[in-house]
Amino acid sequence: MEQFDLSVEPRDHALAATVHDIDLSQDLDEAVIAAIRAAWMKNPVLVFPGQTLTPEQHLAYSRRFGDLQGHTVKNILHPEYPEILVLSNRGRGGTAPINNGGAYWHSDITYEEIPPMGSILYGFEVPPEDGDTLYADMTAAYEALDGETKGQIDGTIGIHTYRNRHLAMVEAGVRPAQTEEQMAKWADVEHPVVRTHPETGRKALYINEGFTNAIKGLAEDEGRQLLDRLCAHATEDRFVYRHQWQPCDVVMWDNRCTMHRATTYDLSYERSMHRTTIRGIKPA
Ligand code: OGA
Ligand code: MN
């Protein structure tokens, strides 16, 4: 296969880079996809400015990286394209409006046995200021830990669940309550606290504020304290890239080695995005 010379420009944090001169609505050559994939393994947050994507085009591009998945909360999925999650404070397309959703550090859907590899978010309507998305570099955060902490967490297991996050959102009035029967689907799942990236071979922290609730074998408060400490460490400024959205940016991130969180904005502005979610493999 011919090599494709992708135009990749570093952003102000090593986690992120801009990819220029690529139109994601087109049926891209395999060499271009291979070059994007290679760039993605170096910069887990890739930004493609100035895109125009129909849902079909967004899905077609996303599928070049693997099978896609929906979300456990069905009323935020696009009614015609359930593999597109609609993140819109105006409830575009009849979906439930999301106002300041995702405003806690998380990696997408780690409360499932097989959490996603990556997510591709197309921000077609963004506020003129604020509403940034923050990303944390979990590889660099792991590497910067002291030897004692590494020794303490290597080989340990984190317990993840959607349940507590959901209850917190119900409490905050941003999500409708679900029945016990529906919530029973959100069983606890176990993932290693330190995950080896299946493609780069690098170790990364794999816990998050959103969905990791306990450390297996540790008392509840001891586990909580350790998780809080790891999360506070990983979200220090030096590990964080702030994405300030321009209209029609596509941001593609690797969920295996990053966390992200939404920030607040003036809700009188529309903020509407479409997300696809690429399936992954069981973390190890
Ligand atoms: C997401 C997400 C954050 C944001 O799309 O998975 O968490 O800033 N988005 O909207
Ligand atoms: Mn998210």
Side-chain angles (χ1 to χ4, degrees), residues 69 72 107-116 156-164 183-193 195 206-208 210-217 227 281-283:
Q69 63 180 93
T72 180
S107 169
D108 291 326
I109 318 187
T110 68
Y111 48 81
E112 291 186 359
E113 283 290 337
I114 315 283
T156 58
I157 300 289
I159 313 280
H160 299 237
T161 175
Y162 191 63
R163 194 185 175 89
N164 296 17
M183 292 203 295
K185 286 188 298 191
W186 304 326
D188 288 352
V189 307
E190 299 186 355
H191 297 306
V193 169
R195 170 173 195 184
Y206 195 64
I207 49 98
N208 65 80
F211 313 126
T212 320
N213 281 293
I215 305 273
K216 197 174 181 180
L227 287 167
I281 58 171
K282 193 164 171 51

Side-chain angles (χ1 to χ4, degrees), residues 87 89 99-103 121 123 125-135 242-246 249 251 261-267 269-273:
L87 210 156
N89 63 356
N99 295 324
N100 291 323
L121 188 58
E125 200 63 64
V126 299
E129 57 184 2
D130 303 331
D132 306 338
T133 308
L134 307 180
Y135 292 88
R242 172 181 288 268
H243 186 67
Q244 295 179 290
W245 290 88
Q246 297 300 315
D249 278 346
V251 180
R261 69 166 293 165
T263 63
T264 55
Y265 59 98
D266 179 347
L267 288 169
Y269 295 115
E270 176 172 357
R271 187 176 189 272
S272 292
M273 307 192 173

Side-chain angles (χ1 to χ4, degrees), residues 153-174:
I153 62 175
D154 272 326
T156 58
I157 300 289
I159 313 280
H160 299 237
T161 175
Y162 191 63
R163 194 185 175 89
N164 296 17
R165 177 56 41 191
H166 169 74
L167 291 173
M169 289 192 289
V170 172
E171 178 91 353
V174 296

